Amino acid sequence: MEMLTMLMVSFWDIWHNYIKFIVLGIMAICALFIILVVLFQPGNSSGVSALGGQSETFLSKNKSKTFEHKMKKLTVIASVIFAVLCIGFAIVFQFALQ
């Protein structure tokens, strides 16, 4: 039984470093993706036309199909993935060190 425990501990020690670097790499890629998506998003107001308070237009009716909506959706998805990875990384590797 002790041999099995030693094998499990050594297996975790070996894969611990690989898993850590893989998760950190995914987190770094996700963080860079979030930065790029946010930078590509257009501003909310387009200058003076925002002051006019225009009523409903074709663009406002079909807003879910626009590039801006897709970029906001990508931002939310990437942010949730990044947050879940960060929390999971902290929990798993905090318990692994104890």
Side-chain angles (χ1 to χ4, degrees):
M1 195 65 161
E2 291 176 19
M3 184 68 154
L4 181 62
T5 307
M6 280 182 55
L7 283 174
M8 291 301 288
V9 169
S10 65
F11 178 76
W12 174 252
D13 289 338
I14 292 170
W15 284 100
H16 175 263
N17 291 330
Y18 293 119
I19 293 170
K20 182 170 57 173
F21 286 118
I22 289 170
V23 171
L24 285 174
I26 293 170
M27 286 169 52
I29 291 169
C30 196
L32 288 173
F33 183 74
I34 291 169
I35 291 169
L36 289 174
V37 168
V38 169
L39 286 175
F40 282 129
Q41 287 182 7
N44 285 340
S45 63
S46 58
V48 179
S49 65
L51 296 174
Q54 297 173 349
S55 62
E56 227 172 288
T57 62
F58 178 76
L59 184 62
S60 65
K61 289 180 183 178
N62 296 317
K63 195 162 184 124
S64 64
K65 298 177 184 175
T66 62
F67 177 73
E68 181 181 351
H69 178 72
K70 290 177 185 174
M71 295 301 275
K72 286 183 181 180
K73 197 175 195 181
L74 280 174
T75 304
V76 170
I77 292 169
S79 300
V80 167
I81 291 170
F82 183 74
V84 168
L85 281 174
C86 287
I87 293 169
F89 182 81
I91 290 171
V92 168
F93 287 101
Q94 180 64 30
F95 286 124
L97 295 176
Q98 292 179 355

